[in-house]
Structure formats: C-alpha cells, structure tokens
Amino acid sequence: MPKGYIIGHIRVTDPEGYPEYVQKDTPILQAHGARFIVRGGQSETPEGEEMGRHVVIEFDSYEAAKAAYNDPEYQAVAEIRRRCAESTIILVEGTD
C-alpha cells in the first residue's frame, strides 16, 4: 500500500507565535502515525516562490494522512499556523 504524505510550504509571518503551533501539532500528528521526514532546515528554491520553511510528514497510507489533517483537534491547532504564517498544505499519495 502506498504511503501518504502531508507536505507544507510555509512562510512564517509571526516567528514568536509559530513555535506554539509546532509544539502542539506534533503529538496530534504522531498519534496518527506521523513521521517527520523534513521539518524546516536549510533549503533552496531554484524555481517557484520561496516560502522559507518546508515540511514533509510521512504516514502509513494516504487515508492516514487525510485523517490526521482532518482531525478536529489538529484543525483547532492549525488555526495557530494560519495566524502566524502563510501556508500551502498538500496531501499526496506516495509511489509504493
């Protein structure tokens, strides 16, 4: 069964408020089996719009990724991200 991923491209606009989101989202997503493959770190954007922060979270399946994103507890915490950053969030199925 192919794995599922949540991919985030994030431009933090409130660096003081954003860490609260990271602290609170982690246990919720991990309860759904999340494995953080990329979470910030050095990056370059040779094409397209630079967002500054990139996140790749792996799940056992696409359905698990969707369930994590749609979890009401996660959505409540996501409001912190929405206040503190501009984001593009993508749910995608892997190749294997």
Side-chain angles (χ1 to χ4, degrees), residues 7 11 18 20 25 29 36 49 55 61 65 68 72 79-80 86 89 94:
I7 301 172
R11 179 180 297 118
Y18 190 79
E20 179 185 7
D25 84 330
L29 296 174
F36 288 85
E49 182 181 355
V55 179
S61 67
E79 287 303 319
I80 299 168
E86 300 168 8
I89 306 298

Side-chain angles (χ1 to χ4, degrees), residues 2 7 9-11 26 28-29 34-36 39 41 47 50-51 55 67 74 78 81-82 85 91-92 95:
I7 301 172
H9 303 292
I10 302 159
R11 179 180 297 118
T26 301
I28 298 166
L29 296 174
R35 292 173 297 282
F36 288 85
R39 194 166 202 180
E47 292 188 34
E50 171 57 43
M51 296 293 284
V55 179
Y74 171 75
R81 174 177 44 79
R82 293 178 184 120
L91 300 174
V92 64
T95 60

